[in-house]
Amino acid sequence: HGATLCLGQRVQGLERISEDPPIFRLTTDREEHYTRTVLIAIGVGAFAPRKLDRPGVREFEGRGVHYFVRDLQHFQGKRILIVGGGDSAVDWALGLEGIAEHITLIHRRDAFRAHEDSVRKLFQSSVVVKPFYEVKELRGDEHLQEALIVHNRTGEEERLEVSEVLFCLGFVADPGPIKDWGLEMDSNGIRVSPRMETNIPGVYAAGDITSHPAKLKLIATAYGEAAIAVNFAKTFIDPSARAFPGHSTEVMAGSRSSQGTGNP
Ligand SMILES: Cc1cc2nc3c(=O)[nH]c(=O)nc-3n(C[C@H](O)[C@H](O)[C@H](O)COP(=O)(O)OP(=O)(O)OC[C@H]3O[C@@H](n4cnc5c(N)ncnc54)[C@H](O)[C@@H]3O)c2cc1C
């Protein structure tokens, strides 16, 4: 349909610059776009690692606190604390065994969500596994030097000499800048009408970012919502247009009959 695709751009701002006719300016990290309607389909937004709100954690980010392993060699010969009980925590503990000098893994529970076979290997490895322990505080000077951990049942504290802490606590989704666009949102996303209209006239939403009583976060429903949104956005731009676009089979049948090959 001749749509202009602008890839590799992160949407940042949306501003209505004219009321009649309504025109929006959509800003990305690379350019500005002018449009009569907007369809927001950003999924659950950007994923960011879940961070612990404990003294020293933010302070030592980049100076001993990690959320990803970008380079195995960075951990060569180091004393490491890994925090978490899922696949990432267990896989990295096993992956760094033999590279790091010493690895301790703490988890707030004694049940691991990681793959059963990985957990079995973990308990057979040289990794020191401490269930029911959580990070209480991280300390150091220029770089991280120690972690204070606490047993969440007994309150017993322990000081670990570590220079690196790897947090593997999963990810949180963040819808990012759209939170500041004046959209009505709830904990599930942007509230939409059955026509996929948001509270801002001319702005529609579809897919995982929408919230409505019949919401199912599936590929099929996302496609369906996008079709509804696009067709009603068309009527927003041109109120004389029909929301129902017709069936492609009718178009094909029409072209066949115009070529004289269709059924009478
Ligand atoms: C692990 C997992 C397994 C799943 N398995 C299934 C399954 O088997 N069957 C099924 O039907 N559904 C499944 N789903 C759900 C399905 O993936 C979603 O319902 C579907 O992808 C929603 O489509 P969407 O277009 O709304 O969002 P997405 O597919 O998430 O697309 C959103 C896009 O917007 C981009 N974006 C976000 N923020 C910005 C921004 N500020 N600027 C520019 N771009 C941005 C993102 O990078 C992304 O490309 C699964 C989901 C997960 C997480």
Side-chain angles (χ1 to χ4, degrees):
H1 293 281
T4 305
L5 298 178
C6 305
L7 304 177
Q9 301 192 19
R10 182 174 287 268
V11 170
Q12 290 173 334
L14 181 70
E15 188 189 352
R16 188 195 289 273
I17 56 168
S18 156
E19 288 296 330
D20 192 17
I23 297 176
F24 295 96
R25 175 168 46 219
L26 184 85
T27 318
T28 75
D29 54 352
R30 304 226 337 235
E31 57 186 339
E32 290 176 346
H33 303 276
Y34 294 87
T35 177
R36 300 277 297 277
T37 59
V38 177
L39 168 52
I40 302 170
I42 60 164
V44 288
F47 282 102
R50 181 174 280 118
K51 299 188 175 184
L52 263 194
D53 189 16
R54 297 282 188 282
V57 173
R58 302 276 172 148
E59 187 187 335
F60 287 105
E61 282 179 3
R63 296 188 293 140
V65 167
H66 306 261
Y67 299 97
F68 306 98
V69 174
R70 298 185 199 278
D71 177 12
L72 285 174
Q73 291 317 308
H74 178 85
F75 296 90
Q76 177 81 47
K78 305 268 179 71
R79 296 181 67 83
I80 310 175
L81 170 63
I82 296 179
V83 186
D87 280 305
S88 301
V90 174
D91 288 352
W92 282 124
L94 294 173
L96 289 165
E97 193 193 17
I99 295 174
E101 182 199 316
H102 184 272
I103 303 174
T104 306
L105 183 146
I106 62 171
H107 181 35
R108 63 187 166 145
R109 299 187 290 132
D110 62 349
F112 286 79
R113 277 181 294 106
H115 193 281
E116 209 176 301
D117 188 52
S118 309
V119 176
R120 187 182 53 76
K121 286 181 181 146
L122 177 74
F123 280 96
Q124 289 170 350
S125 74
S126 63
V127 175
V128 176
V129 182
K130 290 172 136 337
F132 299 116
Y133 272 91
E134 298 179 29
V135 168
K136 185 171 181 189
E137 187 179 347
L138 300 181
R139 298 168 181 161
D141 45 36
E142 288 302 298
H143 195 91
L144 177 70
Q145 289 177 331
E146 64 177 38
L148 186 64
I149 59 170
V150 59
H151 194 286
N152 60 25
R153 298 197 161 178
T154 64
E156 186 190 333
E157 294 184 2
E158 194 176 326
R159 205 173 54 79
L160 298 179
E161 256 184 56
V162 289
S163 64
E164 317 295 324
V165 177
L166 175 60
F167 286 102
C168 301
L169 302 174
F171 290 84
V172 284
D174 180 5
I178 68 154
K179 284 182 296 194
D180 306 323
W181 291 1
L183 292 159
E184 244 174 51
M185 298 184 74
D186 59 31
S187 56
N188 289 321
I190 303 171
R191 289 211 180 118
V192 289
S193 73
R195 296 175 170 193
M196 300 301 131
E197 299 154 314
T198 70
N199 61 307
I200 303 177
V203 179
Y204 296 75
D208 280 5
I209 191 63
T210 66
S211 172
H212 56 81
K215 185 66 202 174
L216 289 177
K217 293 193 179 187
L218 289 172
I219 295 166
T221 50
Y223 270 111
E225 290 179 7
I228 294 170
V230 165
N231 284 293
F232 282 102
K234 163 82 175 147
T235 65
F236 180 81
I237 297 169
D238 175 7
S240 67
R242 277 198 328 144
F244 182 63
H247 292 142
S248 56
T249 44
E250 289 163 16
V251 178
M252 285 156 63
S255 94
R256 273 207 305 271
S257 64
S258 69
Q259 290 164 13
T261 53
N263 292 327

